[in-house]
Amino acid sequence: MRREDGRPGPEDDVEAVLDELYALPPSEFVARREERAARARTRRRAQDARRIHAARRPTLAGWAANLLRRSRPDEAERFLELGRALREAYATLDPSGLKELSAQRRRIVSEMSRQAAALAREAGHPLSDAVQRDVETTLRAVLADPEAAAVWEAGRVEGVLTPPSEFGADAVAAAPPRREPARARKPRTDPTAARKKKDEEAERRRAEREERAARAREEARAAEERLRGRRAARQEAAGALEEAEEREREAGERVAALEEQLAEARTERERAGAELGEARERDRAAAEELKGAEREAAAAARRAGRAEGHDA
């Protein structure tokens, strides 16, 4: 609807529509999405209609994560702040801060996932153990990945969000110890050739190790990116399959309803045909009786005429 001043009302705001959709249980998502998209098209907002129609139905785990974000806004903000602190600590490789934040992460992820399960159960959609694990994976991704955090913060998670591999549960163990600044050493005035050669060999091996480690990290990042792409494609295909199944079910229901109407119409036609036959039979009998009555009347008239002639 539009307000009296002509400006768009809440139902014309595509962002509000998307917020509404992702707050719904997955079973209600598709029908409401098509309703909102049709309304946008009716109001000649083709671009909004395309955005609304492109929204993907969330999995049960995605819906539970969105429900947690909306139902516990204060705790969600603290969770997002923890993620920013954890990512900063990991980027600066501060083992003491990282260890403390990682311990917080494990406790809070476990607690938040339990809250999501309780909220889903209260809403009539209890989570299985596998789905609750998917919620935990999504929450770990929110802490590790700024993009995942932005999706969850908006309350529009569609499926399982996965944390980057280099930000796993063993990040603390993987972080190298902080090195204290090396004390200034007095240069040797007369180093031996053997010592110099040994140092050069050690430096060469260190450089080779660092190069191999850098290549391994780059390959791991590339593999993780490919994995994300495959998961996104799989999730999109699964969403398309669910939508197609939903459309097929709705079409089947419409076909069944039409077939029932057709059967009723045929029965009604048969009944009307029988009544038509009976009416025709009654009409034929009435016509025969009318003819008989007309003949009798004519004969009576003739007899009356002859009787009057005899009397004259």
Side-chain angles (χ1 to χ4, degrees), residues 13-196:
D13 184 356
V14 67
E15 297 298 332
V17 170
L18 292 174
D19 287 341
E20 175 197 8
L21 291 176
Y22 282 98
L24 294 171
S27 58
E28 301 176 20
F29 185 92
V30 174
R32 185 68 60 85
R33 182 193 63 191
E34 296 309 305
E35 175 188 335
R36 293 291 185 255
R39 177 177 298 177
R41 284 192 294 270
T42 301
R43 295 175 181 178
R44 298 183 179 179
R45 293 185 292 112
Q47 185 174 358
D48 288 351
R50 284 193 293 271
R51 281 195 64 193
I52 294 169
H53 186 71
R56 295 296 181 187
R57 180 171 68 173
T59 62
L60 190 58
W63 168 76
N66 294 332
L67 179 64
L68 176 65
R69 171 69 180 99
R70 288 184 169 85
S71 302
R72 300 286 188 271
D74 294 339
E75 294 179 29
E77 288 300 327
R78 289 194 292 271
F79 190 74
L80 291 166
E81 181 59 35
L82 172 64
R84 286 188 284 269
L86 185 59
R87 291 193 296 273
E88 182 178 353
Y90 182 68
T92 57
L93 296 177
D94 181 355
S96 59
L98 184 59
K99 183 176 182 179
E100 180 181 352
L101 289 171
S102 295
Q104 285 183 269
R105 180 191 66 177
R106 288 190 292 273
R107 291 194 302 271
I108 293 177
V109 164
S110 178
E111 175 59 27
M112 295 283 278
S113 68
R114 284 196 293 271
Q115 289 187 26
L119 290 168
R121 186 167 54 252
E122 292 172 4
H125 299 276
L127 308 182
S128 66
D129 292 342
V131 173
Q132 189 167 352
R133 285 194 296 271
D134 287 343
V135 174
E136 291 182 0
T137 299
T138 294
L139 292 174
R140 287 198 298 272
V142 169
L143 293 178
D145 186 353
E147 293 183 3
V151 173
W152 186 66
E153 186 174 13
R156 298 179 188 175
V157 178
E158 296 177 356
V160 182
L161 303 178
T162 55
S165 58
E166 65 271 18
F167 207 101
D170 298 327
V172 176
R178 299 179 69 183
R179 297 180 179 179
E180 296 296 331
R183 295 179 179 178
R185 296 180 180 180
K186 294 182 179 180
R188 294 182 180 181
T189 58
D190 188 22
T192 63
R195 179 64 179 173
K196 182 179 180 180

Side-chain angles (χ1 to χ4, degrees), residues 212-281:
R212 287 195 298 271
R215 284 200 303 268
R217 286 193 296 270
E218 183 61 30
E219 291 172 358
R221 280 192 293 269
E224 181 67 20
E225 186 65 26
R226 289 193 297 271
L227 178 59
R228 285 188 179 184
R230 299 296 185 273
R231 283 175 174 165
R234 174 66 178 82
Q235 182 177 326
E236 184 176 355
L241 174 60
E242 289 176 352
E243 292 181 11
E245 289 175 343
E246 182 70 16
R247 289 196 298 271
E248 192 274 338
R249 184 190 63 76
E250 293 174 354
E253 291 177 353
R254 290 196 298 271
V255 168
L258 291 172
E259 288 178 344
E260 184 177 354
Q261 293 176 9
L262 178 60
E264 292 176 355
R266 284 175 173 165
T267 301
E268 183 64 24
R269 181 183 179 185
E270 291 175 358
R271 184 161 48 249
E275 292 175 355
L276 176 61
E278 292 175 359
R280 284 174 174 169
E281 182 62 26

